[in-house]
Amino acid sequence: MNIHEYQAKKLFSEYGISVPDGKVAFSVDEAVDAAKSLDSDVYVVKAQIHAGGRGKAGGVQIAESVDEVRRHADELLGSQLVTHQTGPEGQTVRRLYIESGVDIADELYLSFVVDRAREGVVVMASTEGGVDIEAVADETPEKIHKVLADKRVGLAPYQARKLAFDLGLEGKTAFQAASMIGTLYELFTDKDCSLAEINPLVVTGSGEVIALDGKLNFDDNALFRHEDISDLRDESEEDELELEAKKHGLSYVNLDGNIGCMVNGAGLAMSTMDIIKQYGGEPANFLDVGGGADTDAVAAAFKIITSDPRVQGIFINIFGGIMQCDVIAEGVVNAVDQVGLKVPLVVRLAGTNAKEGRQVLDETDLDIVSADSMADGAEKIIDIVGVNAD
């Protein structure tokens, strides 16, 4: 789960991490009032969307007066902000963060991420703050400094100090940076984060260390013990189909292709997507109905797939273990009765009650193409979609 910058900074403040003064605004008048309440001669008007690259896309504007705040707020609110992370459709700006300006002497980079291969939290820091860290990693990887926090004892103070020194910091500035690194690690672990990033982490003219930006992502599987974090969810920033899937306990991720997939099991779902791509197709989604789904959940999954206008064909790939193939078949029939079948459908059923499942489908008047294997199913749906496209 992602949250907005202003929400991340509120959490930073609660943990004692220095951030500029700022207020969230949902209208132009609120933006103006927020600016008037700040003790500053320079203001920063920031679009709040769940995507990086806002600055390069014009989503971060400097204002030297309240009138300029009004103008920038009027331009940004309701606009579609397109960044390298939003895709060409962009995201609607529904809220702004009005922040006091900061005397920036240097821009740094700091992030925490879970490294599953090394079974720990990796802390990364770089002198190249305020730019795309991916480009730094590709072009000048030596400028990225890393330490791995021990999963048994956490991040040691000497590791935080090492990163501060690696950034070229000295004296009280180095001490502040090391303290901030340690504090952010505490927040990261307390709140079950999957990512924490400050870009840029700035050093002011007086040597103070301040989080000028803030990004926090959280492990969805741990939200049950963080009601305060769950309350920060902004569903307007999330994919509507993914939200609908969550209501039914389905694992769904919207993709850019045209072949809808319904599979049971995450591993089989990923394999299905891979084999579709191997045969020249593009999956429209990742959808795992799981091992305990009932006919209602399967019907909901089918409706979600068919509601995506990009889907030109559907491949249902079920290996019956805990999940029974006849349950999948009944769910599909129920869903088709409700929403209709407007695109080609290829079904591969194998395992528990596969024969009964095929019988359920055969007894309907649905136009279904049967497949004997994953490869057979992938080839058939790609061929059919390709013919229809021609």
Side-chain angles (χ1 to χ4, degrees), residues 147-362:
V147 298
L148 176 68
D150 190 297
K151 61 184 178 181
R152 295 162 296 184
V153 299
L155 184 71
Y158 81 87
Q159 292 178 302
R161 291 193 297 270
K162 178 183 184 301
L163 286 173
F165 296 143
D166 286 341
L167 294 173
L169 304 177
E170 300 176 345
K172 74 166 188 178
T173 303
F175 176 81
Q176 284 187 14
S179 177
M180 180 182 289
I181 291 169
T183 301
L184 189 52
Y185 177 79
E186 181 183 354
L187 188 161
F188 188 95
T189 54
D190 283 352
K191 301 298 185 181
D192 289 305
C193 295
S194 56
L195 170 72
E197 182 181 73
I198 301 175
N199 186 26
L201 172 68
V202 302
V203 179
T204 67
S206 60
E208 302 297 316
V209 181
I210 296 177
L212 200 62
D213 196 4
K215 181 179 179 64
L216 292 175
N217 294 355
F218 303 90
D219 185 346
D220 286 345
N221 296 311
L223 289 178
F224 71 93
R225 57 189 180 199
H226 298 293
E227 186 176 346
D228 58 327
I229 300 300
S230 296
D231 291 342
L232 300 178
R233 183 185 293 275
D234 180 5
E235 293 189 349
S236 68
E237 292 287 318
E238 300 184 33
D239 185 278
E240 291 183 6
L241 296 181
E242 292 180 12
L243 286 172
E244 182 64 21
K246 286 179 182 178
K247 295 177 183 177
H248 297 278
L250 303 170
S251 296
Y252 175 89
V253 179
N254 205 357
L255 301 174
D256 297 327
N258 61 353
I259 297 176
C261 306
M262 184 194 300
V263 190
N264 65 319
L268 184 61
M270 289 186 285
S271 298
T272 302
M273 293 162 58
D274 286 343
I275 204 162
I276 287 173
K277 291 184 70 70
Q278 181 178 333
Y279 282 97
E282 289 294 333
N285 63 269
F286 168 99
L287 199 162
D288 171 19
V289 297
D294 56 18
T295 55
D296 290 338
V298 173
F302 194 85
K303 290 178 186 177
I304 289 169
I305 293 175
T306 56
S307 65
D308 184 346
R310 294 172 301 183
V311 170
Q312 298 175 6
I314 300 172
F315 180 26
I316 297 178
N317 183 21
I318 301 299
F319 184 84
I322 299 174
M323 168 61 73
Q324 298 179 1
C325 294
D326 56 331
V327 173
I328 292 287
E330 290 170 3
V332 170
V333 171
N334 290 342
V336 171
D337 285 342
Q338 296 178 42
V339 303
L341 182 60
K342 301 180 178 65
V343 296
L345 174 62
V346 174
V347 179
R348 178 251 184 165
L349 299 176
T352 307
N353 290 0
K355 180 179 179 181
E356 291 83 351
R358 285 190 287 269
Q359 184 176 347
V360 169
L361 297 175
D362 290 342

